[in-house]
Amino acid sequence: MNNLKQSFKPISNIHSTILILGTMPGEKSLALQEYYAHPQNKFWKIIAHISKNDIPFTYSEKLSLLDKNNIAVWDIVKQASRVGSLDTAIKNEMPNDLINF
């Protein structure tokens, strides 16, 4: 069984001043192809709260929230083997090129 997972491309704009780094997407995020897609994840609520915005519901609204607040999001792991979503299960990881980002 192949458990190779790939992270997403970064979300950023030329005005991004904040970079939030995750490890790599979990199963729900990979299935939906969206950052922080699991309904129990508080990421979008926290970003809305600290930026004094309404909580976004659609992925388009979520991306707009990041853009509006010049927040970039990316993961430190580009590719890895992992069963499930736990960071402790990551094996044979290949990092993203953060230096050239």
Side-chain angles (χ1 to χ4, degrees), residues 4-43:
L4 189 64
K5 311 287 170 59
Q6 297 269 81
S7 67
F8 306 135
K9 292 182 180 183
I11 297 171
S12 67
N13 66 43
I14 61 170
H15 302 289
S16 294
T17 55
I18 298 168
L19 173 60
I20 298 175
L21 292 169
T23 308
M24 70 179 305
E27 294 295 324
K28 186 70 169 178
S29 291
L30 289 168
L32 295 176
Q33 289 295 291
E34 297 179 2
Y35 276 96
Y36 304 103
H38 196 285
Q40 292 178 345
N41 193 299
K42 305 291 186 215
F43 179 83

Side-chain angles (χ1 to χ4, degrees), residues 53-66:
N53 285 278
D54 293 333
I55 297 170
F57 292 100
T58 68
Y59 196 57
S60 177
E61 290 172 345
K62 293 171 181 177
L63 296 178
S64 180
L65 177 64
L66 295 176

Side-chain angles (χ1 to χ4, degrees), residues 38-100:
H38 196 285
Q40 292 178 345
N41 193 299
K42 305 291 186 215
F43 179 83
W44 298 109
K45 289 180 182 180
I46 292 168
I47 296 299
H49 178 76
I50 64 173
S51 66
K52 296 180 174 50
N53 285 278
D54 293 333
I55 297 170
F57 292 100
T58 68
Y59 196 57
S60 177
E61 290 172 345
K62 293 171 181 177
L63 296 178
S64 180
L65 177 64
L66 295 176
D67 188 61
K68 175 176 157 181
N69 290 283
N70 299 316
I71 298 171
V73 173
W74 204 18
D75 289 313
I76 59 170
V77 177
K78 179 178 184 172
Q79 176 179 297
S81 294
R82 184 183 65 202
V83 176
S85 297
L86 295 176
D87 287 353
T88 55
I90 294 172
K91 306 280 187 232
N92 304 315
E93 63 273 5
M94 178 190 319
N96 270 314
D97 187 3
L98 297 174
I99 292 171
N100 289 311

